[in-house]
Each structure stands twice: as structure tokens, then as C-alpha cells.
Amino acid sequence: MAVVVALALFASACATGGTGARDEGPAHADLAGGSAVSPSAVASASAVPDRTEAVRLVKADPVVSTEVKRELKPCVSDDYPIDVSYGDLTGGPEDDIVVNVLSCGDGVGVASYVYREQSGAYRNVFKSEEPPVYAEIDRGYLVVTKQVYAKDDGLSNPSSEDVISYRWKSDRFDRKFSTRTDYGSLGGDDSPAPDG
């Protein structure tokens, strides 16, 4: 089941073609300058952090909720439930880091963060902690995908999906495109077909 949900999230995110994305907007106002994570929390910013260092980055980040930090534990051995990608989103001197925190049981996106290198430390410039959420880099855009569930939807049957694309502008992410895909009823609808 977890693999199916993870594949569905991945496939739906790939299907956007970069024209739409789900994003939770710029980092909150208290992050205007970005939260700095000390260089000791992560290896020097000149060396892009690996997965283990990305876990330390998230855990040391004062902007990350206590709940996400508490749940960020290895699923098996030392295998943390995160996806990490690197690329140029903000035009900074080093690659930006996109970290998706996932649930162990079903691989659903719990939270997404973007870190930008500034003055020798990585700073949080974006966060979304409203699951299920997944962020990725697509041709210079930050693309955030979020499944939307109605009250009676099962985990495998969301009602719709929002995809929001953001572009870095000066010192924050600016929402550029958004797309909502309504899945509608997948069978069981006994309403007659429309005439004509």
C-alpha cells in the first residue's frame, strides 16, 4: 500500500510537466530573513549536504515544528524517511536543498522544506507542514504537490490534487502557477449520462 501511494504521488507530480504546482507560499513572516542553521549543524555549506546531513539540517532548524522533528526517526536501521534533491532555485552561490520528510508506514509526504546557502550556512526559505505534501525542483521552479481529501475519502482515493509552482523573486518564493485536478468519482456513480 505504501509503495502504491508513493508511486501515485510521484507519478502525479511528474504529470504536471512543470506548468503547475502546489506550494504553501513563502516561508512565514518570521522567516523573512530565513532561519539560519549553524554551520556546525551541517558540514560546511561549500560541500552540499548528503542525506544524513540533511536530516541534521532539518532537526537543527528552529522553524521546523516539534512534531516533525519528533517523528523524523529512522524507519529501518539508519534509513530516514526523507527525499533530498539539490538544484538552483534561488540563484545562490551553492545548490539549494529541497527536503521532503515522509511517513515510514506509507511514504506520504509529511513536510517539505527548501534551504538556501547564505553566508556559510543553510537557511530555511520555504516550509510546508500540511500533509500530504511533496516538493520538487522542475526547470528552476519549486513545484509543490498536495493531495486534497474530502471528509470520507480513503488514503488511496483523494478527491483532488493541487499543484503549485513558485519562482524565487528577490528574497522569497512567489506563486506563479497553480492547477487543481479533480478526480471525480471512480465508479459507483449511478447517475445517468447527460443527453446530447
Side-chain angles (χ1 to χ4, degrees):
M1 177 77 163
V3 172
V4 172
V5 171
L7 287 173
L9 285 172
F10 177 74
S12 63
C14 290
T16 64
T19 60
R22 169 63 192 228
D23 185 83
E24 297 304 314
H28 296 288
D30 59 337
L31 296 178
S35 66
V37 178
S38 70
S40 62
V42 178
S44 75
S46 62
V48 176
D50 64 15
R51 286 176 47 88
T52 304
E53 291 166 335
V55 169
R56 286 195 291 262
L57 181 67
V58 170
K59 287 189 170 193
D61 187 348
V63 173
V64 174
S65 73
T66 303
E67 182 179 349
V68 170
K69 289 179 183 180
R70 183 177 56 244
E71 296 298 320
L72 185 53
K73 301 176 195 169
C75 296
V76 179
S77 183
D78 62 348
D79 186 25
Y80 282 87
I82 63 167
D83 283 339
V84 182
S85 55
Y86 312 93
D88 184 12
L89 283 170
T90 67
E94 300 292 335
D95 277 347
D96 301 301
I97 305 168
V98 177
V99 180
N100 289 290
V101 178
L102 311 171
S103 62
C104 280
D106 48 21
V108 171
V110 173
S112 298
Y113 308 97
V114 176
Y115 293 93
R116 179 177 198 251
E117 190 277 330
Q118 294 175 322
S119 304
Y122 279 95
R123 298 180 184 274
N124 185 321
V125 293
F126 174 87
K127 81 171 186 174
S128 176
E129 295 180 332
E130 297 174 21
V133 63
Y134 193 85
E136 60 190 325
I137 300 169
D138 186 356
R139 292 174 271 185
Y141 285 89
L142 173 64
V143 178
V144 180
T145 303
K146 185 169 179 94
Q147 303 294 314
V148 180
Y149 293 87
K151 183 178 179 182
D152 297 327
D153 288 346
L155 181 62
S156 62
N157 295 314
S159 295
S160 58
E161 175 183 84
D162 288 338
V163 180
I164 301 171
S165 295
Y166 292 84
R167 189 67 125 169
W168 184 257
K169 185 176 182 183
S170 299
D171 63 347
R172 66 184 206 89
F173 283 101
D174 187 34
R175 183 177 175 153
K176 290 294 184 186
F177 309 103
S178 66
T179 303
R180 172 165 279 189
T181 302
D182 289 320
Y183 297 134
S185 177
L186 298 175
D189 184 3
D190 295 327
S191 59
D195 291 334

